[in-house]
Amino acid sequence: MDHLKSAVELFVRTKAKLDPRHEYGICVLQETSTWFLSFTSNVELFVEKLRTLSVKGDFKKFEMASLFDAIAAKRVLPDVTDRSGSIPYVVRMLFIYGRSAVIPNEGRLQNQTHPVIAHPAFYYDALYLHEKPSDTNNPQAVYDFITSFEPDEQLQKFSFFFECSSNVARLYKNMAALLAHARQRKHQTLHASGLDYLSKPSL
């Protein structure tokens, strides 16, 4: 957890140096998702809240739809209904999941695309931190579920998916790759060529 918080802090501080207008928020995952910190450009406030996070509870399920519902409730996605088709800014969700024995469920989605995912200004990336497979852990099934929410590539909305077990260096390398702006990066296989990353790799 300490390495993860350090990697996220470095990510946010770097993004803020690139553009101080960036805003960041935190949702915590229990059986559903709840807001812990609303969107803010105050990096020090974000870091302060980040450092207080800890693993609490032993949750046996997680409803993925609640995470997209949380984004929708903030009403932060821009209106792109005008004829120009321009997108003034994007909202990117970095889904960091660390449960090896709990495969998330779709909840009320039931194989339907959530309106947030379909929004042209929304981008979905994921970093999966997992333990090794065992009688109780099924990280491959969890990873397959996480990557099943990739947007339609016809919209040129490319998601980045990474996984990491116990390799701290790989954790930081993954976070560095995620620094790329969502609308300025290529498909993951092209962007990360030479880094031994594959698009939606198997564990």
Side-chain angles (χ1 to χ4, degrees):
M1 186 67 171
D2 289 339
H3 286 301
L4 174 60
K5 289 192 286 187
S6 178
V8 172
E9 178 180 342
L10 182 60
F11 171 88
V12 169
R13 291 191 183 279
T14 303
K15 292 291 287 185
K17 288 181 179 180
L18 294 172
D19 190 339
R21 296 174 297 175
H22 286 315
E23 295 186 3
Y24 317 89
I26 300 174
C27 283
V28 294
L29 312 182
Q30 298 176 341
E31 290 189 349
T32 58
S33 175
T34 57
W35 281 99
F36 182 72
L37 175 67
S38 188
F39 288 106
T40 178
S41 59
N42 187 330
V43 174
E44 297 308 320
L45 174 61
F46 179 92
V47 171
E48 177 185 344
K49 294 294 185 180
L50 174 69
R51 290 175 176 174
T52 66
L53 290 175
S54 61
V55 178
K56 296 180 179 179
D58 182 19
F59 302 101
K60 302 301 182 183
K61 65 178 182 179
F62 174 65
E63 183 180 326
M64 193 71 178
S66 69
L67 192 53
F68 300 118
D69 288 342
I71 298 293
K74 286 295 181 182
R75 300 184 182 276
V76 294
L77 290 166
D79 181 7
V80 293
T81 57
D82 63 276
R83 294 183 179 180
S84 69
S86 62
I87 299 176
Y89 61 87
V90 302
V91 176
R92 178 161 62 133
M93 179 179 76
L94 174 53
F95 179 50
I96 301 177
Y97 193 71
R99 303 176 190 176
S100 298
V102 180
I103 304 172
N105 64 78
E106 294 180 337
R108 64 176 182 78
L109 290 181
Q110 297 179 344
N111 296 319
Q112 298 181 7
T113 301
H114 195 286
V116 166
I117 300 176
H119 195 287
F122 178 78
Y123 288 77
Y124 165 68
D125 295 334
L127 173 63
Y128 179 39
L129 309 176
H130 60 89
E131 299 175 356
K132 293 181 179 180
S134 68
D135 291 340
T136 57
N137 294 335
N138 192 349
Q140 185 65 61
V142 175
Y143 190 73
D144 289 344
F145 180 89
I146 290 172
T147 59
S148 70
F149 287 88
E150 184 171 23
D152 188 346
E153 290 189 3
Q154 292 183 352
L155 299 175
Q156 296 296 301
K157 290 172 56 176
F158 301 126
S159 292
F160 274 18
F161 299 119
F162 295 110
E163 57 81 25
C164 184
S165 180
S166 58
N167 190 324
V168 175
R170 185 171 182 172
L171 168 62
Y172 282 92
K173 185 180 289 187
N174 289 342
M175 292 300 295
L178 287 164
L179 285 170
H181 191 285
R183 300 199 71 198
Q184 297 175 346
R185 64 193 185 188
K186 301 177 182 179
H187 192 281
Q188 184 173 353
T189 53
L190 300 175
H191 177 88
S193 60
L195 294 179
D196 296 327
Y197 292 142
L198 297 176
S199 177
K200 299 174 67 172
S202 297
L203 300 182

